[in-house]
Amino acid sequence: MSLKDRIEKLEAEIAAAAAKTAEEVERFRVSMLGRNGTVTSLFEEFKQVASEEKREFGQRMNKLKQSAQARWEEMKSGIDQGPASEQGETDPTRPALGESVGSLHPISIVRQRIIDVFARIGYTVSQGPEVEDDHHNFSALNFAPDHPARDMQDTFFVEPLDRSNQEIDPAKVLALRTHTSSVQVRVMENSKPPIRTISPGRVYRNEAISARAHCMFHQVEGLYVDKGVSFAELKGTLDYFAKSIFGPNVAIRMRPSYFPFTEPSAEVDMSCSICEGKGCNVCKHSGWVEIMGCGMVDPAVLKNCGIDPDVYSGFAFGMGVERIAQLLYRVPDLRLYWENDVRFLEQFSDGAFRA
Ligand code: PHE
């Protein structure tokens, strides 16, 4: 019998399978999906399929395996009614259907883990508005009036939409916040050092949606301001963060970078947690992945927010939660986090990805 005929025959067998006792359920599993099971042995034969047919057969066989598994689970959970022809009266002793419990969204899980790591070293959580004014999102953070990040290309403006109107007070322009650094400006304006806080939240940028970019994502940004805060403390804090989330074997390194609100600024790389630095697709064979931006708060920013830069110094950092989730859960396509397909969402638990 050809492979195709055998697949069809098996499809029919799976659909018609019925089991009344736990032994019968187990017998079905062993005969189909066990090490020498019919479905399993088909996969052995797959090696011989001509390469131009591999795609089609591969798909059909995966489907077959999934339906065998699904059928087995149905029978196991006692909801199997058997083939329609054999259905008799309802058996009142049959166990009730299990109730399915919801699960946290993977981004919520990761965000909470990040918050917990910083809470342990004394960081509070601060929140602010998602519709933000120019002052908090840009000006106070030292973005020059003609900085490209203010451009329509990156920012979703809320009002006024026509910014060419000279009459409008630039500080009153409203936009969807492009980062949660805006929250840190609010905290600095409203409190006195020492300040140790993180601001988790949703941010928006006008990007085309693809597997690697989305027009909205989540950040956790951190801020520490006190007397004598040093770059060494920044590095120590981020090393502690990376090891707390990804385990004791990861290392971080810093590369000089530029942000208008920090000086000096750095990009933080972590040794690739997926291949342990050996090189893989995720780290593009470099052994390192970028995880966040950071730097010492620019004295001009402290001043803009009413903090005396001659007395105080500080550091700040900011990361994308999706990026951290991607490295933890190995989900390469960012769009999946927004589709809310329950089959995707229920795979995540507070511990790790149930692979
Ligand atoms: N706000 C920056 C961003 O959104 C991240 C950052 C925060 C960089 C703090 C340095 C210091 O990309």
Side-chain angles (χ1 to χ4, degrees), residues 145 160-173:
L161 290 174
D162 175 17
R163 289 182 311 126
S164 56
N165 183 344
Q166 302 285 315
E167 315 258 288
I168 293 158
D169 175 0
K172 299 232 169 83
V173 169

PDB file of all heavy atoms in Angstrom, residues 145 160-173:
ATOM      1  N   PRO A 145      15.216  70.265  19.458  1.00  0.00           N
ATOM      2  CA  PRO A 145      13.930  70.473  18.761  1.00  0.00           C
ATOM      3  C   PRO A 145      13.865  69.764  17.408  1.00  0.00           C
ATOM      4  O   PRO A 145      12.781  69.358  16.976  1.00  0.00           O
ATOM      5  CB  PRO A 145      13.871  71.989  18.567  1.00  0.00           C
ATOM      6  CG  PRO A 145      14.798  72.552  19.593  1.00  0.00           C
ATOM      7  CD  PRO A 145      15.853  71.531  19.858  1.00  0.00           C
ATOM      8  N   PRO A 160      -1.715  68.622  18.413  1.00  0.00           N
ATOM      9  CA  PRO A 160      -2.430  68.828  17.156  1.00  0.00           C
ATOM     10  C   PRO A 160      -1.763  68.015  16.050  1.00  0.00           C
ATOM     11  O   PRO A 160      -0.566  67.776  16.095  1.00  0.00           O
ATOM     12  CB  PRO A 160      -2.243  70.315  16.914  1.00  0.00           C
ATOM     13  CG  PRO A 160      -0.927  70.609  17.566  1.00  0.00           C
ATOM     14  CD  PRO A 160      -0.802  69.706  18.724  1.00  0.00           C
ATOM     15  N   LEU A 161      -2.550  67.569  15.093  1.00  0.00           N
ATOM     16  CA  LEU A 161      -1.963  66.759  14.037  1.00  0.00           C
ATOM     17  C   LEU A 161      -1.146  67.623  13.078  1.00  0.00           C
ATOM     18  O   LEU A 161      -0.150  67.183  12.529  1.00  0.00           O
ATOM     19  CB  LEU A 161      -3.047  65.990  13.299  1.00  0.00           C
ATOM     20  CG  LEU A 161      -3.651  64.882  14.163  1.00  0.00           C
ATOM     21  CD1 LEU A 161      -4.816  64.224  13.460  1.00  0.00           C
ATOM     22  CD2 LEU A 161      -2.619  63.834  14.536  1.00  0.00           C
ATOM     23  N   ASP A 162      -1.569  68.858  12.915  1.00  0.00           N
ATOM     24  CA  ASP A 162      -0.806  69.750  12.038  1.00  0.00           C
ATOM     25  C   ASP A 162       0.191  70.541  12.872  1.00  0.00           C
ATOM     26  O   ASP A 162      -0.131  71.568  13.466  1.00  0.00           O
ATOM     27  CB  ASP A 162      -1.765  70.700  11.295  1.00  0.00           C
ATOM     28  CG  ASP A 162      -0.974  71.711  10.462  1.00  0.00           C
ATOM     29  OD1 ASP A 162       0.230  71.455  10.226  1.00  0.00           O
ATOM     30  OD2 ASP A 162      -1.550  72.730  10.065  1.00  0.00           O
ATOM     31  N   ARG A 163       1.401  70.031  12.924  1.00  0.00           N
ATOM     32  CA  ARG A 163       2.385  70.673  13.791  1.00  0.00           C
ATOM     33  C   ARG A 163       3.108  71.829  13.102  1.00  0.00           C
ATOM     34  O   ARG A 163       3.987  72.452  13.660  1.00  0.00           O
ATOM     35  CB  ARG A 163       3.383  69.638  14.302  1.00  0.00           C
ATOM     36  CG  ARG A 163       2.712  68.700  15.309  1.00  0.00           C
ATOM     37  CD  ARG A 163       3.673  67.716  15.869  1.00  0.00           C
ATOM     38  NE  ARG A 163       4.436  67.074  14.820  1.00  0.00           N
ATOM     39  CZ  ARG A 163       5.748  67.023  14.770  1.00  0.00           C
ATOM     40  NH1 ARG A 163       6.461  67.574  15.727  1.00  0.00           N
ATOM     41  NH2 ARG A 163       6.354  66.415  13.771  1.00  0.00           N
ATOM     42  N   SER A 164       2.757  72.069  11.827  1.00  0.00           N
ATOM     43  CA  SER A 164       3.427  73.168  11.131  1.00  0.00           C
ATOM     44  C   SER A 164       2.856  74.516  11.584  1.00  0.00           C
ATOM     45  O   SER A 164       3.444  75.558  11.361  1.00  0.00           O
ATOM     46  CB  SER A 164       3.266  73.006   9.613  1.00  0.00           C
ATOM     47  OG  SER A 164       1.898  72.915   9.315  1.00  0.00           O
ATOM     48  N   ASN A 165       1.708  74.459  12.270  1.00  0.00           N
ATOM     49  CA  ASN A 165       1.091  75.682  12.781  1.00  0.00           C
ATOM     50  C   ASN A 165       1.990  76.329  13.846  1.00  0.00           C
ATOM     51  O   ASN A 165       2.192  75.781  14.923  1.00  0.00           O
ATOM     52  CB  ASN A 165      -0.273  75.297  13.375  1.00  0.00           C
ATOM     53  CG  ASN A 165      -1.027  76.504  13.870  1.00  0.00           C
ATOM     54  OD1 ASN A 165      -0.438  77.575  14.051  1.00  0.00           O
ATOM     55  ND2 ASN A 165      -2.321  76.324  14.085  1.00  0.00           N
ATOM     56  N   GLN A 166       2.502  77.495  13.520  1.00  0.00           N
ATOM     57  CA  GLN A 166       3.487  78.157  14.385  1.00  0.00           C
ATOM     58  C   GLN A 166       2.891  78.639  15.713  1.00  0.00           C
ATOM     59  O   GLN A 166       3.609  78.896  16.665  1.00  0.00           O
ATOM     60  CB  GLN A 166       4.092  79.373  13.651  1.00  0.00           C
ATOM     61  CG  GLN A 166       4.764  79.034  12.339  1.00  0.00           C
ATOM     62  CD  GLN A 166       6.112  78.358  12.548  1.00  0.00           C
ATOM     63  OE1 GLN A 166       6.896  78.796  13.358  1.00  0.00           O
ATOM     64  NE2 GLN A 166       6.350  77.271  11.821  1.00  0.00           N
ATOM     65  N   GLU A 167       1.584  78.759  15.755  1.00  0.00           N
ATOM     66  CA  GLU A 167       0.929  79.310  16.949  1.00  0.00           C
ATOM     67  C   GLU A 167       0.963  78.342  18.132  1.00  0.00           C
ATOM     68  O   GLU A 167       0.762  78.736  19.269  1.00  0.00           O
ATOM     69  CB  GLU A 167      -0.559  79.578  16.649  1.00  0.00           C
ATOM     70  CG  GLU A 167      -0.813  80.256  15.339  1.00  0.00           C
ATOM     71  CD  GLU A 167      -1.102  81.728  15.526  1.00  0.00           C
ATOM     72  OE1 GLU A 167      -2.200  82.009  16.013  1.00  0.00           O
ATOM     73  OE2 GLU A 167      -0.210  82.555  15.211  1.00  0.00           O
ATOM     74  N   ILE A 168       1.186  77.067  17.817  1.00  0.00           N
ATOM     75  CA  ILE A 168       1.047  76.053  18.867  1.00  0.00           C
ATOM     76  C   ILE A 168       2.266  76.012  19.775  1.00  0.00           C
ATOM     77  O   ILE A 168       3.409  76.007  19.317  1.00  0.00           O
ATOM     78  CB  ILE A 168       0.822  74.672  18.206  1.00  0.00           C
ATOM     79  CG1 ILE A 168      -0.538  74.680  17.520  1.00  0.00           C
ATOM     80  CG2 ILE A 168       0.903  73.558  19.222  1.00  0.00           C
ATOM     81  CD1 ILE A 168      -0.670  73.655  16.455  1.00  0.00           C
ATOM     82  N   ASP A 169       2.001  75.967  21.068  1.00  0.00           N
ATOM     83  CA  ASP A 169       3.074  75.864  22.049  1.00  0.00           C
ATOM     84  C   ASP A 169       3.653  74.440  21.956  1.00  0.00           C
ATOM     85  O   ASP A 169       2.944  73.463  22.228  1.00  0.00           O
ATOM     86  CB  ASP A 169       2.474  76.140  23.436  1.00  0.00           C
ATOM     87  CG  ASP A 169       3.501  75.926  24.528  1.00  0.00           C
ATOM     88  OD1 ASP A 169       4.641  75.576  24.207  1.00  0.00           O
ATOM     89  OD2 ASP A 169       3.138  76.109  25.707  1.00  0.00           O
ATOM     90  N   PRO A 170       4.934  74.339  21.538  1.00  0.00           N
ATOM     91  CA  PRO A 170       5.491  72.999  21.306  1.00  0.00           C
ATOM     92  C   PRO A 170       5.401  72.088  22.532  1.00  0.00           C
ATOM     93  O   PRO A 170       5.234  70.877  22.393  1.00  0.00           O
ATOM     94  CB  PRO A 170       6.954  73.264  20.929  1.00  0.00           C
ATOM     95  CG  PRO A 170       7.165  74.735  20.990  1.00  0.00           C
ATOM     96  CD  PRO A 170       5.878  75.413  21.293  1.00  0.00           C
ATOM     97  N   ALA A 171       5.454  72.659  23.728  1.00  0.00           N
ATOM     98  CA  ALA A 171       5.419  71.833  24.944  1.00  0.00           C
ATOM     99  C   ALA A 171       4.070  71.145  25.120  1.00  0.00           C
ATOM    100  O   ALA A 171       3.935  70.182  25.859  1.00  0.00           O
ATOM    101  CB  ALA A 171       5.737  72.671  26.161  1.00  0.00           C
ATOM    102  N   LYS A 172       3.056  71.634  24.403  1.00  0.00           N
ATOM    103  CA  LYS A 172       1.702  71.076  24.604  1.00  0.00           C
ATOM    104  C   LYS A 172       1.349  70.008  23.569  1.00  0.00           C
ATOM    105  O   LYS A 172       0.250  69.464  23.598  1.00  0.00           O
ATOM    106  CB  LYS A 172       0.672  72.207  24.553  1.00  0.00           C
ATOM    107  CG  LYS A 172       0.885  73.259  25.633  1.00  0.00           C
ATOM    108  CD  LYS A 172      -0.406  73.497  26.404  1.00  0.00           C
ATOM    109  CE  LYS A 172      -0.182  74.321  27.650  1.00  0.00           C
ATOM    110  NZ  LYS A 172      -0.141  75.747  27.388  1.00  0.00           N
ATOM    111  N   VAL A 173       2.266  69.756  22.646  1.00  0.00           N
ATOM    112  CA  VAL A 173       1.989  68.739  21.643  1.00  0.00           C
ATOM    113  C   VAL A 173       1.830  67.397  22.352  1.00  0.00           C
ATOM    114  O   VAL A 173       2.635  67.031  23.206  1.00  0.00           O
ATOM    115  CB  VAL A 173       3.146  68.666  20.617  1.00  0.00           C
ATOM    116  CG1 VAL A 173       3.017  67.443  19.735  1.00  0.00           C
ATOM    117  CG2 VAL A 173       3.173  69.929  19.778  1.00  0.00           C
TER     118      VAL A 173
END
